[in-house]
Amino acid sequence: DGRLTLADGIFEITGDLTELEVPSSVHAVVAARIDRLPLEARDLTRDAAVIGFSFTLGGLAALREEEPDKVERQLSTLVRNEILELVRDPRSPEAGQYQWVQAVLREVVYGRIGKADRHELHLKAARYYRELDDPELAPVAAQHFVDALGADAAADEAIEAELVTALRAALGRSLDIHAHEQVVALAEAALPVAPARLQADLRERAAQAAVALVDVDTALRHAEALIEAGEAGDVDLLHRGMSLFGAIGNGLQRGQDVVNRLTPHLEAHPDFEEHPALAKAAAELARAQMLSGLSSDAEAAELADRAIGAAEKLGVLEAVADAMITRGTAFATSRNHQAMALLRGAVELCRKHGFTGTMLRGLINIGYASQEADESIAATEEAFAESKRVGDRNHAAFVASN
């Protein structure tokens, strides 16, 4: 289908291979192999396919509501038939778990499960993992809720509420451990089934994580989706989309794009206290004006000051810190003592409230603006170390290149 080409004896991937259909001939062979299993073993493969590529004995037993000893005996049949294998390597994170010998085996078995059964089985799995109350498993529980709604989009409000709670816990955990790829993957998997009230949050999370990964296309795609929805009549989404576009553009050093996009929007909505996202957008525009050189430092500082006032009143503290950094940096050469007071204050505000990305920007700018060599070096070194610690490739690359 054009996703793999052969040139001069070398195969080259030319398309997205994340989703590949199993050829019908392979599907038939695998299905025949599964059908030759005893009835109990075939039934077990269905539940194992739902629970995942790898799984614990306890998880599968809970899904089937059977004693672990009984399930273990049934699993031994699948191991003997080389459908599943027990991971015995003590160095493996899956040590002691069962996993499918080949992904195609699971895919074929899963594809033969009816949607109603998938829905019920994924719900049982989701609730099992949720009840374990293990933060590490929060993304697993959330993915099962997503898959349950994917199998039956007409789920009731109670299940939607469970999904929302699970997604918030999973995304929170992923952010805590700075697993940016996981944030993007989980948010994008959830978008087709998430209630409308959650979709904007998912797009914002995905875009912010994509910026940390320097994934420009993904970040902009989510911002543009919010803007498009906003232009269709939802002013809240429009403001949020524009603010997000500004954060992405500035984070990826595209200040001129931000100025061109946000200037007419904020001219049409001059009262920044009207919406928290307008205060954020104003802070982003001020930063872009300074970075792009399309306005004077004084003009950027003035807009930053207006953004600080609106953000302070609305309680948007990260925007307060961000605009303080812009205002301080704008004054770095003309009023250095004032500039350093603003930058140091912004960094401390970020430390207090856990605004890691904005704190990194503040540290980088202290490294640039400080007239004290020791402070400049210490701030730059901390910014680089913290960027690496949290997996922020964007800031780490910027510091390294400077």
Side-chain angles (χ1 to χ4, degrees), residues 297-298 301 326-339 342:
D297 286 346
T326 296
R327 187 170 171 80
T329 307
F331 290 146
T333 56
S334 61
R335 309 180 198 172
N336 190 258
H337 289 292
Q338 181 181 347
L342 284 164

Side-chain angles (χ1 to χ4, degrees), residues 70-133:
K70 179 182 178 182
V71 174
E72 189 172 23
R73 288 193 297 271
Q74 295 169 344
L75 284 169
S76 65
T77 300
L78 296 177
V79 172
R80 284 196 305 273
N81 283 273
E82 298 182 344
I83 304 296
L84 301 175
E85 60 185 354
L86 179 62
V87 182
R88 302 182 186 277
D89 185 350
R91 297 167 298 178
S92 171
E94 283 84 31
Q97 297 187 26
Y98 290 88
Q99 66 180 25
W100 292 82
V101 172
Q102 294 175 312
V104 68
L105 294 170
R106 175 178 179 256
E107 186 175 341
V108 170
V109 173
Y110 187 81
R112 301 172 84 188
I113 305 171
K115 286 191 174 182
D117 288 339
R118 283 190 204 178
H119 174 76
E120 292 302 323
L121 288 168
H122 277 300
L123 272 184
K124 287 178 69 174
R127 289 163 178 162
Y128 165 74
Y129 285 116
R130 181 188 62 192
E131 294 307 314
L132 292 177
D133 197 25

Side-chain angles (χ1 to χ4, degrees), residues 56-69:
T56 64
L57 171 61
L60 186 58
L63 184 65
R64 292 176 62 82
E65 299 180 356
E66 294 179 351
E67 290 298 320
D69 288 347

Side-chain angles (χ1 to χ4, degrees), residues 141-362:
Q143 186 62 58
H144 277 294
F145 276 116
V146 168
D147 291 338
L149 267 74
D152 180 10
D156 59 33
E157 290 184 4
I159 295 175
E160 277 195 356
E162 289 184 278
L163 169 70
V164 171
T165 301
L167 281 172
R168 293 195 189 284
L171 290 169
R173 175 58 184 171
S174 298
L175 289 169
D176 286 345
I177 62 174
H178 316 297
H180 305 298
E181 291 94 342
Q182 189 174 68
V183 171
V184 173
L186 187 56
E188 293 193 336
L191 275 170
V193 299
R197 67 183 184 280
L198 183 63
Q199 290 183 12
D201 290 345
L202 292 174
R203 291 199 181 278
E204 286 175 338
R205 295 287 184 92
Q208 290 158 2
V211 170
L213 297 170
V214 203
D215 184 348
V216 180
D217 291 342
T218 296
L220 289 176
R221 174 163 49 81
H222 287 292
E224 294 293 354
L226 281 181
I227 292 170
E228 183 179 348
E231 289 174 342
D234 190 325
V235 178
D236 173 72
L237 293 183
L238 181 60
H239 294 332
R240 292 173 70 174
M242 287 293 183
S243 170
L244 184 60
F245 181 89
I248 293 167
N250 283 329
L252 297 170
Q253 306 302 308
R254 298 184 174 192
Q256 184 167 342
D257 292 345
V258 175
V259 171
N260 293 340
R261 196 74 176 270
L262 263 59
T263 298
H265 182 68
L266 291 178
E267 286 175 350
H269 301 276
D271 182 3
F272 302 157
E273 295 178 11
E274 178 187 326
H275 193 285
L278 282 175
K280 294 180 184 179
E284 296 295 351
L285 179 56
R287 179 184 178 187
Q289 287 178 341
M290 181 183 67
L291 290 173
S292 66
L294 295 175
S295 300
S296 67
D297 286 346
E299 289 173 312
E302 181 183 357
L303 179 57
D305 192 50
R306 289 181 59 202
I308 290 169
E312 182 86 47
K313 186 170 182 179
L314 295 169
V316 190
L317 296 186
E318 189 163 16
V320 171
D322 195 45
M324 286 173 65
I325 294 168
T326 296
R327 187 170 171 80
T329 307
F331 290 146
T333 56
S334 61
R335 309 180 198 172
N336 190 258
H337 289 292
Q338 181 181 347
M340 294 311 301
L342 284 164
L343 289 169
R344 292 171 189 142
V347 168
E348 287 311 306
L349 183 63
C350 292
R351 289 191 201 280
K352 181 177 180 180
H353 294 280
F355 304 144
T356 304
T358 303
M359 183 188 76
L360 291 174
R361 182 185 171 224

